[in-house]
Amino acid sequence: MSVRRKAGGVRRGGMRRMLGIGLGLGVLALMGAGFSEYSHAQSGAQAKRPRIGLALGGGGARGAAHIGVLEVLEEMRIPVDCVVGTSMGALVGGAYAAGRSPAAMAERVGQTDWTDIFIDEPDRADVKLRKKQLDDQTFPGLEIGVGSGSAAFRSGAVAGDKIKFFINGLVGADRGQRLIESLAVPTRIIATDIATGAKVVLKDGSLSQAMRASMSVPGLMVPVIIDNKKLVDGGLVDNVPVVEARKLCADIVIAVDVGTPLLKSEEIAGVLSVAVQMINILTNQNVEASFAALNKSDLLIRPDLGTVTAADFNRHAEAIEAGRKAARAVAAKLAPLALTRIEYDYQMAHLRTRQPPPVTIDAIEVAKLGRVNTEVVRKHLDVPLSEPLDAARLNKSLVRLNGEGDFQSVDYAIDNVGGRRVLRINPVEKSWGPDYLRFGINFSTDFNNNAPYNLRAVYHRTWMNPLGAEWLTTLQLGEREVIATEWYQPLDKPQRWYVKPAASFVQSSRGLYVEGSRVSEFEVQDRRMAVEVGYNLGMPGQLRLGWLERSLKAETVTGLALFEAQRARSGGPYLGFEYDTLDERYFPSRGLFLNANIRDVRRVDREDAPYARASLELWKAWSLRDYTLQLTAEMGSTTRGVLPAYDAFTLGGPFRLSGFASDQLVGDDMRFARLALQRRLLAPSGIVGASVYAGVLAEAGKMGLPYTEARLTGWQKSFGVYLGMNTIVGPLYFGYSNAPKGRSTWYLFLGTP
């Protein structure tokens, strides 16, 4: 009996399981049929409704209004079937097609430092010391390539690397390649072939590269090369791409125009305003043609952006709000295009996918370079393998690499090769290199009879061998005449050790003073030959040891002969250490500068006695908001023997006891200190502009043994105020100083020392 009960139980249990399985399959079949029917219904609805295409125009910072328009379209459940964008419209449209919500775009734009993003140079603290030294005596912005036998210039003021990195993060290219042809929403990007003037419609390849090309304002940003074409801003040929949106998919085009209106007659004054007006005229002409292509079913949205200009990136919140208002103003026309909540959610499901996590890099490859050693590239890369990629860390590495001065742009891509993630670094060497001509100038005046000036030209040859040898030749005319040449030879691939032979001829003159009156002029002719061995301590530091041979002639050329004429030959070793982390050399807001040197003149001829000379210069800056406190200290001492007049220390002139004439105090055992409180009055704009500063300063200095101005013993004081500004040729200072034992004077200084 028990056996039969078990058998019966098994049969009854099996039947129940079969019944359950059948019921489950039936439910799944019904669900599948329902989903299929729902999908069919959705497909039918999608097929019946008109397809909507966005034509987003260019306008620089004004293009942030596109984000506000997209917000309203999403609020109203207006579907987007395709996107075509130009310039800033390409940025917003491409990001939207890549899955970024308007809210996420607005947040990213709000977090961006729009002043810094248009500055290619890394933070000065991250630039190698040798480049800082060169930049501090020439105009970094004016670099003429002369390697090809004729003069060549960079093709844009900004390479746009930081802009490209911003775009990479916006569309997720820092987590893998984003290709135009693979986007959830069909997308086209408009650019201009600068060689032919033809419109280029980018429909495949790197999304971020296409967006960067469409934003390349001619003259401001370097063109982007795609398929051997140099591409610039698409606004020159099709600023509101209505026709391209219709070609791509649109039955109805929603066109958004954020272009800059023409300047009024009274606003056109100067070369720059004429150039801006010319571009505006060209852009407006093609926009009118686009408007003519609109039909009755299309919508044109023109946000009222008021005084927001193409360069006002820091006013993005105003532009976004203007976009919202303009879209809501045509809500009645948009309403018939809206989908139901279910339909819209279905439409958006394939667009808003979760952003993938940071990728883990398995290998790094550096593109083949023509001149630069790839080891120089690799030493800057702060990208650990087998760890999630930190995009911000990578971007900083690449900006620092570009700060070497050898590249016109640096980019990267992440590829999947055989299941391994490969980070490809793509530096582009300067097309106008590797030989350059650079210039410098300085001019100062106390508005009396003292107005010294110097004009400087520097010929710089780079990468003369695989280790990165450089040849630098300088010619300077003015109060201090210079002919100098040096060979800088790194001794290893990372360029830590170097050797530098150098030769120079310097002829300089200085006024000599007695009781505040200039009584004579002292001239020194100094011929030098040196060889130096050094070690670069990372980016900010350098230790150097060398031997210097000198041949000198010093004499009074006019006025009272306060010093005897001298001729001397000398030689001896020197030791130097330099460390520089200042964020700016002349208007620093943070960082430290230290320069210490000692020279031991052991071999002398005739009646001169050996001597040793030591000097130290220190700058330190601290900032709180727009206020900066700067401390400067200098000292110079004779550690052995007596300093000859031609090698003595000096004080006087702007920012070195400003209430005294230039080099008025001459002697040994010099001490000097300056304390300045500076406020930034005007910050630079997002693209161009200069910072303007106002400051007050107190200075004190003394000579242990004065060679001139014997009455000025002990500490001399000077107090003053100044206005300062960064310019293309260096710092500009205009100030007033008063010294109790000196004079009250106005002064002007322009250029680099």
Side-chain angles (χ1 to χ4, degrees):
M1 291 291 293
S2 60
V3 173
R4 284 197 295 269
R5 280 197 300 271
K6 287 181 181 179
V10 169
R11 285 196 296 269
R12 285 192 295 273
M15 290 176 65
R16 282 197 297 269
R17 281 195 296 273
M18 291 177 65
L19 181 60
I21 292 170
L23 182 60
L25 290 173
V27 171
L28 288 174
L30 288 172
M31 290 176 63
F35 182 78
S36 177
E37 184 178 347
Y38 174 76
S39 299
H40 253 324
Q42 293 300 317
S43 298
Q46 298 295 332
K48 291 177 183 177
R49 71 170 181 80
R51 292 170 298 177
I52 300 171
L54 292 183
L56 304 181
R62 295 164 63 92
H66 293 312
I67 298 174
V69 172
L70 287 173
E71 284 184 359
V72 174
L73 294 182
E74 289 203 347
E75 289 172 6
M76 297 187 65
R77 301 191 299 274
I78 308 299
V80 174
D81 298 289
C82 62
V83 178
V84 184
T86 297
S87 193
M88 197 66 174
L91 179 75
V92 176
Y96 186 77
R100 279 282 190 174
S101 68
M105 281 187 260
E107 181 181 9
R108 188 66 179 256
V109 167
Q111 294 171 345
T112 300
D113 184 345
W114 290 100
T115 299
D116 178 70
I117 201 171
F118 287 99
I119 301 174
D120 287 325
E121 290 292 323
D123 190 285
R124 189 175 178 276
D126 293 327
V127 175
K128 65 181 179 181
L129 186 61
R130 181 167 174 80
K131 187 172 186 297
K132 291 176 192 172
Q133 294 166 342
L134 181 60
D135 288 348
D136 290 345
Q137 61 175 314
T138 59
F139 316 152
L142 180 59
E143 183 181 71
I144 303 174
V146 292
S148 61
S150 59
F153 300 86
R154 64 188 305 159
S155 50
V158 178
D161 288 341
K162 291 182 182 178
I163 299 169
K164 179 62 162 52
F165 300 153
F166 167 78
I167 295 172
N168 285 348
L170 188 65
V171 303
D174 55 350
R175 301 176 184 231
Q177 278 275 40
R178 299 307 303 267
L179 302 175
I180 298 174
E181 64 269 28
S182 300
L183 297 176
V185 176
T187 303
R188 297 291 184 266
I189 305 294
I190 307 300
T192 303
D193 185 339
I194 194 62
T196 65
K199 178 167 67 176
V200 177
V201 181
L202 298 167
K203 57 184 178 181
D204 53 27
S206 168
L207 172 63
S208 56
Q209 189 178 35
M211 292 161 69
R212 165 67 181 82
S214 186
M215 296 178 65
S216 297
V217 179
L220 175 63
M221 296 186 197
V222 173
V224 175
I225 300 176
I226 299 178
D227 296 333
N228 296 319
K229 296 176 181 177
K230 292 184 177 180
L231 303 183
V232 297
D233 197 317
L236 297 177
V237 289
D238 196 357
N239 200 46
V240 184
V242 172
V243 173
E244 296 301 331
R246 204 176 310 283
K247 284 181 184 178
L248 182 57
C249 83
D251 299 312
I252 295 176
V253 175
I254 299 177
V256 186
D257 175 30
V258 293
T260 303
L262 294 178
L263 298 174
K264 297 177 182 178
S265 178
E266 60 271 18
E267 296 175 320
I268 304 173
V271 175
L272 181 60
S273 60
V274 170
V276 169
Q277 185 76 336
M278 181 183 67
I279 293 175
N280 289 343
I281 290 171
L282 292 173
T283 302
N284 285 335
Q285 285 177 347
N286 72 63
V287 167
E288 291 302 321
S290 294
F291 291 166
L294 293 170
N295 58 40
K296 293 182 179 180
S297 61
D298 297 328
L299 282 89
L300 174 61
I301 299 176
R302 306 185 78 175
D304 181 4
L305 290 156
T307 61
V308 178
T309 71
D312 287 335
F313 285 91
N314 289 320
R315 297 177 67 183
H316 52 81
E318 296 175 52
I320 292 172
E321 180 58 29
R324 293 191 193 105
K325 289 180 179 178
R328 287 173 180 146
V330 295
K333 296 180 180 179
L334 289 170
L337 305 176
L339 300 180
T340 66
R341 171 58 62 187
I342 294 176
E343 290 172 335
Y344 189 72
D345 289 346
Y346 177 80
Q347 171 81 9
M348 297 295 290
H350 70 296
L351 177 61
R352 294 289 153 74
T353 57
R354 292 185 60 187
Q355 190 172 6
V359 298
T360 297
I361 300 300
D362 300 304
I364 299 175
E365 293 182 2
V366 179
K368 185 178 179 180
L369 299 171
R371 300 182 297 267
V372 181
N373 195 308
T374 56
E375 287 299 317
V376 173
V377 177
R378 291 184 179 277
K379 79 175 183 180
H380 286 288
L381 297 179
D382 185 15
V383 183
L385 299 181
S386 303
E387 292 183 14
L389 177 65
D390 184 336
R393 195 168 160 184
L394 170 61
N395 293 345
K396 186 175 181 180
S397 294
L398 297 182
V399 171
R400 190 164 55 237
L401 169 63
N402 204 15
E404 287 278 331
D406 299 312
F407 305 107
Q408 66 184 51
S409 66
V410 180
D411 199 3
Y412 70 90
I414 300 171
D415 291 330
N416 194 330
V417 181
R420 301 172 74 240
R421 293 284 186 173
V422 178
L423 174 64
R424 302 189 190 278
I425 307 298
N426 302 308
V428 178
E429 293 170 299
K430 287 180 176 177
S431 59
W432 60 96
D435 304 338
Y436 311 99
L437 195 60
R438 304 177 72 170
F439 302 92
I441 185 175
N442 62 61
F443 167 80
S444 64
T445 179
D446 58 6
F447 299 100
N448 292 312
N449 297 320
N450 190 23
Y453 72 93
N454 292 291
L455 302 174
R456 183 182 305 123
V458 178
Y459 176 55
H460 188 202
R461 297 193 66 184
T462 67
W463 288 98
M464 299 185 68
N465 59 40
L467 291 178
E470 300 177 24
W471 181 27
L472 199 68
T473 300
T474 301
L475 175 64
Q476 179 172 295
L477 302 175
E479 184 187 48
R480 189 170 187 266
E481 298 179 346
V482 178
I483 300 175
T485 188
E486 67 179 44
W487 180 278
Y488 179 84
Q489 178 62 67
L491 300 177
D492 57 346
K493 289 182 178 179
Q495 299 184 340
R496 290 183 293 262
W497 290 94
Y498 72 88
V499 62
K500 184 177 73 174
S504 66
F505 170 77
V506 179
Q507 179 171 292
S508 60
S509 61
R510 71 172 63 134
L512 298 181
Y513 292 80
V514 174
E515 296 186 354
S517 298
R518 182 168 175 154
V519 297
S520 62
E521 186 170 318
F522 192 64
E523 183 179 86
V524 178
Q525 293 181 359
D526 187 356
R527 296 172 176 84
R528 300 187 178 203
M529 294 187 67
V531 61
E532 175 180 298
V533 176
Y535 183 78
N536 292 311
L537 302 163
M539 303 301 282
Q542 189 178 81
L543 182 66
R544 44 188 177 257
L545 173 66
W547 185 278
L548 172 64
E549 290 284 331
R550 300 176 74 186
S551 175
L552 294 118
K553 176 184 176 183
E555 61 183 348
T556 301
V557 292
T558 61
L560 297 177
L562 299 183
F563 300 113
E564 294 182 0
Q566 293 179 312
R567 290 177 180 270
R569 293 180 181 273
S570 64
Y574 63 88
L575 178 67
F577 172 74
E578 190 168 349
Y579 184 84
D580 186 353
T581 62
L582 295 178
D583 60 337
E584 290 188 47
R585 183 64 179 93
Y586 304 108
F587 297 101
S589 62
R590 65 180 186 277
L592 171 70
F593 174 80
L594 176 65
N595 190 11
N597 295 279
I598 184 167
R599 178 158 44 87
D600 186 9
V601 182
R602 294 183 176 181
R603 185 184 57 76
V604 295
D605 62 358
R606 306 179 70 131
E607 69 277 4
D608 295 321
Y611 65 93
R613 183 183 193 273
S615 64
L616 175 69
E617 182 181 5
L618 171 72
W619 282 44
K620 186 74 176 80
W622 303 266
S623 287
L624 179 63
R625 298 185 180 89
D626 288 332
Y627 290 90
T628 299
L629 184 66
Q630 299 173 1
L631 172 65
T632 304
E634 292 185 46
M635 61 180 297
S637 295
T638 307
T639 60
R640 179 167 62 94
V642 177
L643 286 184
Y646 56 75
D647 215 5
F649 299 103
T650 65
L651 282 174
F655 295 93
R656 300 193 77 250
L657 284 183
S658 307
F660 294 85
S662 294
D663 300 330
Q664 182 175 341
L665 283 71
V666 181
D668 70 356
D669 290 319
M670 175 268 293
R671 303 291 184 271
F672 172 73
R674 178 178 69 242
L675 189 65
L677 179 62
Q678 180 175 278
R679 185 181 189 276
R680 187 172 66 179
L681 302 178
L682 179 65
S685 70
I687 298 179
V688 294
S691 295
V692 178
Y693 304 90
V696 296
L697 58 87
E699 302 168 290
K702 73 170 184 175
M703 291 292 179
L705 176 62
Y707 290 5
T708 63
E709 295 287 32
R711 68 185 179 90
L712 297 178
T713 58
W715 287 94
Q716 306 304 312
K717 303 176 182 63
S718 177
F719 306 92
V721 296
Y722 64 90
L723 287 173
M725 181 173 68
N726 283 318
T727 75
I728 190 173
V729 296
L732 170 66
Y733 295 97
F734 176 68
Y736 171 81
S737 284
N738 177 268
K741 293 187 179 181
R743 57 183 179 170
S744 297
T745 182
W746 293 92
Y747 62 86
L748 176 73
F749 178 87
L750 173 66
T752 58

